[in-house]
């Protein structure tokens, strides 16, 4: 069946109109529930500090924006109290690690399957999916003023981990059945075509996954926004 045919589209429109008409008496309740759910959403979600308590990492949401903003700010030495974040403004010295609103652009869909800061806090790996395939395009972006690098990897699956040297990272790939079965290692600044296959699991009963032994900010996170 052609999903874009006039016959199919006419049928779908008729179904939508019937649903709207049949549930019109629930519109007031729907709005009340929406307002209550919205009122319970935390505007700021602290994701913790790095291991040496040098930086606080947090996620913020802002009214009118579809996606979150991931930021960080320097910690005060010896102070274990997270900074107070105002949802309508930015903190002094705040650095945006990833603004998913800018990342999405005009796209109707964005899924961020990799968002992982290196142990030295100098790089962030970002994996994006714009078509729902759950295969991510990974780029590595500088956070400490260093020169950008051209490293780009395609068809990366969920699961990601930096090595302690912040020069290498590990990621997974899937087989034809969308089963993660390979673990690869990449070195920053090198051609992804020379990446090293660390492990391949040929038994279809098992999956391969990877994660950091010591969690770094946002390590192995999956942020799926539609």
């Amino acid at each position: 069946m052609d999903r874009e045919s006039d016959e199919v589209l006419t049928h779908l429109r008729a179904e939508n109109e019937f649903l709207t008409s049949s549930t019109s008496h629930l519109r007031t309740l729907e709005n009340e529930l929406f307002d209550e759910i919205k009122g319970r959403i935390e505007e700021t979600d602290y994701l913790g500090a790095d291991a040496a308590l040098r930086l606080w990492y947090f996620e913020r949401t802002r009214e009118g924006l579809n996606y979150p903003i991931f930021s960080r700010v320097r910690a005060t030495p010896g102070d274990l109290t997270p900074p107070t974040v105002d949802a309508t403004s930015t903190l002094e010295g705040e650095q945006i690690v990833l603004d998913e609103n800018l990342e999405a652009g005009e796209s109707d869909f964005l899924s961020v399957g990799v968002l992982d800061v290196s142990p030295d806090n100098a790089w962030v790996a970002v994996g994006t999916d714009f078509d729902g395939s759950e295969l991510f395009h990974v780029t590595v972006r500088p956070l400490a003023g260093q020169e950008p690098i051209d490293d780009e990897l395609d068809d990366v699956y969920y699961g990601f981990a930096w090595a302690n040297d912040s020069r290498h990272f590990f990621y997974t790939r899937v087989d034809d059945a969308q089963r993660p079965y390979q673990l690869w290692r990449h070195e920053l600044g090198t051609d992804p075509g020379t990446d090293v296959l660390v492990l391949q699991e040929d038994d279809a009963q098992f999956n391969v996954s990877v994660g950091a032994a010591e969690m770094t900010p946002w390590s192995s996170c999956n942020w799926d926004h539609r």
Side-chain angles (χ1 to χ4, degrees), residues 5-200:
S5 70
D6 290 340
E7 180 182 0
V8 171
L9 294 176
T10 298
H11 178 76
L12 292 176
R13 293 190 191 100
E15 283 191 339
N16 289 336
E17 291 172 1
F18 175 77
L19 177 63
T20 301
S21 174
S22 300
T23 60
S24 60
H25 63 289
L26 300 174
R27 194 71 60 231
T28 300
L29 177 60
E30 178 183 325
N31 292 334
E32 291 177 357
L33 290 173
F34 175 79
D35 291 338
E36 181 175 347
I37 293 172
K38 182 179 177 182
R40 293 173 181 266
I41 295 176
E42 292 289 339
E43 294 178 333
T44 303
D45 181 15
Y46 284 101
L47 302 170
D50 71 324
L53 195 61
R54 293 167 297 185
L55 293 157
W56 284 104
Y57 285 81
F58 54 93
E59 170 192 356
R60 65 159 82 241
T61 57
R62 284 183 170 160
E63 187 173 359
L65 297 181
N66 294 325
Y67 301 100
I69 301 169
F70 300 93
S71 301
R72 69 182 188 179
V73 68
R74 290 214 164 270
T76 301
D79 188 355
L80 302 179
T81 305
T84 300
V85 179
D86 181 350
T88 61
S89 62
T90 57
L91 297 175
E92 182 179 355
E94 179 178 337
Q95 179 184 20
I96 294 177
V97 176
L98 179 69
D99 184 340
E100 288 196 9
N101 300 281
L102 297 178
E103 200 73 24
E106 300 299 320
S107 301
D108 295 329
F109 174 91
L110 169 66
S111 173
V112 177
V114 174
L115 180 57
D116 203 340
V117 176
S118 60
D120 63 2
N121 293 298
W123 304 94
V124 59
V126 179
T128 54
D129 166 24
F130 290 95
D131 60 15
S133 65
E134 297 187 290
L135 298 177
F136 300 96
H137 176 74
V138 172
T139 56
V140 182
R141 308 173 189 188
L143 293 176
Q146 69 271 45
E147 289 295 320
I149 57 177
D150 297 329
D151 301 40
E152 296 189 22
L153 290 77
D154 287 310
D155 299 327
V156 174
Y157 196 59
Y158 299 108
F160 186 98
W162 284 94
N164 287 336
D165 63 4
S166 297
R167 287 288 306 168
H168 299 81
F169 59 74
F170 299 88
Y171 62 94
T172 60
R173 293 194 188 279
V174 298
D175 60 15
D176 293 338
Q178 202 78 354
R179 176 182 67 93
Y181 78 118
Q182 289 181 335
L183 176 67
W184 291 81
R185 186 186 72 214
H186 176 75
E187 181 179 358
L188 296 188
T190 65
D191 181 354
T194 64
D195 285 2
V196 177
L197 177 61
V198 177
L199 173 69
Q200 178 167 314

